[in-house]
């Protein structure tokens, strides 16, 4: 039994359509791999793209890339490994809020056969994480029911500083929400005056933006709402939505 996370780079198809492949690989994929390395070791931001061996230095989690998708998986079924995976996803998402391409993730718990040397990555937990990742309409990460139940009961309230999870009504693409635990990336340290901005010139999308790019606008506004509702750093008494 493992906890697994599937994280995708948002807007990747458009990046491929609008940019040379070398630029996508060097800038988008390269930057995301550097952000992942920082999320794992919590050190300074890497100056270059890490080698595969460097992204396997954690004693608690393993990672592998598939195009614009990263699979993060616990190496053991204990609370320390589970907690480390959640925090790594949180730091990865937080890093993309400041710079670079945004990330969306799904996290599940269950059976998974993972053998990096034989390139075997299969199991219900991986499939469930992928399905949940695709359903969400924001930049963030939600937990399936199985993953939520694997989190220690005293950590599910969202008030434990050691566990980067919080109860939340996660927005879905069909306009509904799912009440579950979300990864609380707002625990990443940032300035009190920091806010998500639509562009350099306006805080929120205009009416024209919402007509031209409705899906992108909804993702942005849902992500911004999560920060405003859940960030204890910017708001000492945030409202927990669940």
């Amino acid at each position: 039994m493992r906890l697994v996370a599937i994280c995708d780079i948002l807007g990747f198809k458009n990046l491929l359509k609008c940019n040379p492949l070398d630029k996508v690989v060097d800038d988008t994929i390269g930057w995301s791999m550097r952000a992942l390395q920082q999320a794992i070791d919590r050190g300074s931001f890497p100056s270059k793209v890490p080698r595969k061996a460097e992204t396997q230095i954690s004693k608690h989690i393993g990672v592998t890339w598939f195009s614009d998708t990263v699979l993060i998986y616990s190496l053991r079924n204990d609370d320390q490994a589970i907690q480390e995976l959640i925090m790594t996803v949180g730091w990865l998402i937080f890093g993309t809020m400041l710079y670079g391409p945004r990330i969306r993730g799904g996290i599940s718990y269950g059976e998974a056969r993972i053998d990096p040397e034989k390139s075997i990555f299969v199991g219900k937990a991986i499939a469930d994480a992928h399905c949940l990742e695709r359903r969400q309409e924001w930049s963030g990460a939600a937990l399936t029911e199985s993953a939520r139940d694997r989190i220690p009961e005293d950590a599910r309230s969202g008030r434990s500083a050691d566990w980067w999870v919080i109860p939340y009504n996660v927005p879905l693409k069909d306009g509904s929400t799912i009440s579950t635990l979300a990864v609380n990336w707002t625990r990443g340290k940032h300035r009190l005056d920091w806010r998500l901005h639509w562009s350099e010139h306006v805080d929120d999308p205009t009416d024209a933006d919402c007509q031209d790019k409705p899906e992108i606008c909804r993702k942005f506004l849902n992500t911004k709402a999560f920060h405003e509702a859940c960030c204890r750093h910017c708001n000492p008494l945030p409202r927990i939505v669940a």
Side-chain angles (χ1 to χ4, degrees):
M1 303 289 282
R2 299 175 185 267
L3 192 73
V4 301
I6 292 287
C7 298
D8 273 352
I9 298 173
L10 294 175
F12 193 73
K13 290 182 180 179
N14 287 334
L15 287 173
L16 288 173
K17 291 179 181 179
C18 301
N19 297 277
L21 182 58
D22 286 347
K23 179 176 176 59
V24 174
V25 172
D26 295 340
D27 294 349
T28 303
I29 298 294
W31 192 96
S32 298
M33 293 183 71
R34 290 161 63 196
L36 175 61
Q37 184 62 47
Q38 185 186 41
I40 293 173
D41 60 32
R42 320 278 155 74
S44 58
F45 197 82
S47 59
K48 60 182 180 180
V49 177
R51 296 172 299 175
K52 181 179 179 180
E54 294 172 333
T55 59
Q56 304 290 343
I57 61 174
S58 172
K59 297 178 181 179
H60 310 294
I61 62 172
V63 301
T64 193
W65 278 93
F66 309 90
S67 182
D68 62 323
T69 300
V70 60
L71 168 65
I72 308 174
Y73 51 93
S74 63
L75 297 178
R76 304 181 312 279
N77 185 18
D78 59 50
D79 286 355
Q80 187 175 15
I82 300 299
Q83 182 184 25
E84 186 68 19
L85 186 149
I86 295 290
M87 190 174 292
T88 297
V89 173
W91 275 113
L92 176 61
I93 295 174
F94 173 70
T96 70
M97 294 297 166
L98 303 179
Y99 307 101
R102 299 264 164 84
I103 297 289
R104 182 179 62 207
I107 300 176
S108 190
Y109 175 76
E111 291 186 335
R113 179 69 63 84
I114 295 177
D115 187 339
E117 292 186 2
K118 296 181 180 179
S119 296
I120 296 174
F121 304 92
V122 63
K124 186 175 185 301
I126 297 174
D128 289 346
H130 172 71
C131 289
L132 180 58
E133 183 273 319
R134 299 293 295 172
R135 293 174 61 198
Q136 298 167 67
E137 191 158 54
W138 67 349
S139 177
L143 281 67
T144 64
E145 183 177 355
S146 63
R148 181 192 64 197
D149 292 345
R150 178 59 184 82
I151 302 299
E153 186 174 357
D154 60 355
R156 297 176 199 166
S157 67
R159 294 179 174 84
S160 172
D162 294 333
W163 285 86
W164 283 34
V165 292
I166 193 167
Y168 196 74
N169 291 327
V170 175
L172 304 179
K173 291 179 179 179
D174 63 4
S176 67
T177 62
I178 179 174
S179 180
T180 185
L181 291 179
V183 174
N184 191 4
W185 54 264
T186 70
R187 288 191 178 276
K189 292 182 180 180
H190 52 281
R191 296 182 337 205
L192 291 178
D193 61 347
W194 178 83
R195 294 293 184 272
L196 282 172
H197 297 291
W198 175 250
S199 70
E200 296 180 0
H201 308 291
V202 295
D203 289 343
D204 294 317
T206 64
D207 291 340
D209 291 327
C210 293
Q211 290 181 353
D212 294 340
K213 297 170 283 190
E215 293 183 4
I216 296 176
C217 291
R218 287 194 298 268
K219 289 174 185 175
F220 171 83
L221 293 172
N222 288 336
T223 304
K224 186 174 183 177
F226 178 81
H227 174 255
E228 294 175 350
C230 301
C231 184
R232 288 180 177 271
H233 187 65
C234 297
N235 178 8
L237 295 173
R239 56 185 179 89
I240 296 178
V241 182

